[in-house]
């Protein structure tokens, strides 16, 4: 499906407006720390707050009120099939644990996607918005139009870094919520660490990938991410000239997602595979 320039503009405007509205809610209506209504999901460390759910309700209401024929896939459970050909992929807070602890690295992530069997999760992003209220930054991209960040400094086009040596690369990663997955992830990180400039774990996959897009780090990798964690940011990174993908030429997925410039990407992939990044977790908790 081809999306016209006018529709890309309308989708971008709506996604930015919705992300900002959710950001306002999350900043200004955050209850006292003890009253965040924290529940757990896949494990004791995988939290969802009442604010995740309120943010998702707001985003779902705004997007479906203005575009009732669009599909919807949200982290906190909202799901609907697309009639228009556009599907929204939404993370109402990416970096929930940071939000819980008042660390500023969290974001509202919204992607408008079209069906594409060859793309990650069968969905190809045409518009991506990652809004980080506590950083005062909104990253966005529309297919074929470049990637941008809006901050107090104004609107700036972003490009990834050109570092070509893995040994000089600053790399971000993330860890899943299940202890058995973390055993493998920790071993992979330990094997990679001596081969790179350094590792960071900022705590939001969407922002990690935007940081690659904006040239603030050289590369990112993680196992266990979902479409809503990375759909918007992957488009932003691609529009910033970066490669986002999985191992062996596959699209990015729950199995492994990597982002880096085209020269660094195969070096990172090689190092990660040699480090056992695809090792299945042992049956332990
Ligand atoms: C998580 C964050 C984190 C990443 C996890 C994600 P959530 O998303 O992006 O950085 O390591 O894989 O699940 O749970 O905060 O929306």
């Amino acid at each position: 499906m081809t999306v016209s320039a006018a529709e890309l503009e309308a989708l971008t405007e709506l996604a930015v407006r919705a992300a900002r509205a959710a950001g306002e809610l999350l900043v200004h209506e955050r209850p006292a720390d003890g009253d965040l209504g924290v529940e757990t999901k896949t494990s004791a460390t995988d939290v969802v707050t009442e604010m995740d759910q309120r943010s998702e309700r707001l985003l779902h209401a705004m997007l479906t009120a203005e575009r009732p024929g669009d599909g919807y896939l949200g982290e906190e459970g909202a799901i609907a099939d697309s009639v228009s050909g556009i599907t929204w992929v939404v993370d109402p807070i990416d970096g929930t644990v940071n939000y819980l602890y008042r660390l500023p690295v969290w974001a509202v992530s919204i992607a408008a996607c079209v069906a594409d069997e060859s793309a990650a999760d069968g969905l190809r992003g045409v518009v991506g918005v990652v809004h980080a209220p506590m950083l005062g930054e909104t990253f966005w991209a529309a297919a074929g139009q470049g990637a941008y960040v809006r901050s107090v400094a104004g609107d700036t086009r972003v490009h990834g870094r050109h570092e070509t040596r893995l040994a000089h690369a600053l790399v971000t990663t993330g860890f899943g919520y299940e202890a058995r997955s973390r055993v493998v992830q920790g071993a992979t990180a330990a094997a990679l660490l001596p081969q790179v400039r350094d590792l960071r774990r900022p705590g939001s996959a969407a922002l990690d990938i935007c940081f690659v897009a904006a040239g603030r780090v050289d590369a990112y990798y993680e196992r266990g991410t979902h479409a809503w964690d990375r759909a918007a940011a992957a488009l932003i990174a691609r529009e910033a000239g970066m490669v986002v993908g999985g191992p062996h030429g596959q699209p990015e997925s729950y199995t492994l997602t990597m982002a880096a410039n085209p020269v660094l990407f195969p070096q990172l992939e090689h190092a990660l595979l040699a480090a056992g990044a695809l090792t299945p977790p042992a049956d332990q908790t």
Side-chain angles (χ1 to χ4, degrees):
M1 173 181 164
T2 310
V3 183
S4 70
E7 192 170 10
L8 285 179
E9 193 178 333
L11 291 166
T12 305
E13 188 279 325
L14 174 56
V16 168
R17 189 156 39 87
R20 293 216 163 133
E24 289 281 306
L25 170 87
L26 291 165
V27 171
H28 296 297
E29 297 194 28
R30 179 191 166 110
D33 281 359
D35 208 15
L36 277 165
V38 179
E39 294 165 19
T40 55
K41 294 193 286 187
T42 58
S43 78
T45 49
D46 184 5
V47 295
V48 56
T49 68
E50 203 175 298
M51 294 306 287
D52 284 271
Q53 291 161 345
R54 284 185 65 190
S55 176
E56 174 131 336
R57 282 198 295 274
L58 174 82
L59 292 166
H60 184 259
M62 274 184 83
L63 297 171
T64 55
E66 295 196 31
R67 297 187 52 101
D70 292 355
Y72 190 96
L73 175 63
E75 177 174 19
E76 304 313 333
I79 193 157
D81 289 336
S82 180
V83 177
S84 67
I86 297 290
T87 296
W88 295 98
V89 180
V90 174
D91 194 341
I93 308 179
D94 187 61
T96 303
V97 175
N98 282 352
Y99 179 76
L100 187 63
Y101 280 78
R102 293 181 183 272
L103 284 166
V105 183
W106 55 269
V108 178
S109 175
I110 303 179
C113 303
V114 295
D116 181 344
E117 279 313 311
S118 67
D121 310 291
L123 292 166
R124 177 166 49 82
V126 293
V127 162
V129 172
V130 175
H131 174 53
M134 302 309 289
L135 303 182
E137 293 186 311
T138 308
F139 298 89
W140 83 93
Q145 297 182 4
Y148 302 83
V149 63
R150 178 167 300 171
S151 70
V152 285
D155 291 357
T156 314
R157 188 159 183 175
V158 296
H159 301 279
R161 284 171 58 85
H162 296 295
E163 179 55 62
T164 56
R165 295 156 297 182
L166 187 64
H168 290 217
L170 184 61
V171 180
T172 64
T173 190
F175 303 116
Y177 290 114
E178 290 181 13
R180 65 193 202 111
S181 305
R182 288 179 173 184
V183 172
V184 180
Q185 290 165 346
T188 303
L192 187 67
L193 184 55
Q195 303 178 57
V196 297
R197 183 185 296 277
D198 208 344
L199 282 179
R200 299 282 185 269
R201 197 294 190 233
S204 157
L207 284 170
D208 286 357
I209 300 170
C210 288
F211 293 161
V212 175
R216 297 180 192 171
V217 296
D218 296 296
Y220 158 81
Y221 76 92
E222 184 168 350
R223 281 184 80 174
T225 58
H226 295 91
W228 47 77
D229 296 316
R230 54 179 146 73
L235 177 67
I236 293 165
R238 288 190 176 105
E239 288 293 324
M242 300 291 101
V243 177
V244 182
H248 311 302
Q250 293 159 5
E252 66 275 19
S253 69
Y254 189 84
T255 303
L256 181 62
T257 295
M258 297 171 283
N261 71 48
V263 179
L264 203 52
F265 188 96
Q267 297 175 51
L268 177 68
E269 176 183 4
H270 183 263
L272 287 171
L273 297 185
L278 299 184
T279 309
D283 195 13
Q284 58 176 67
T285 49

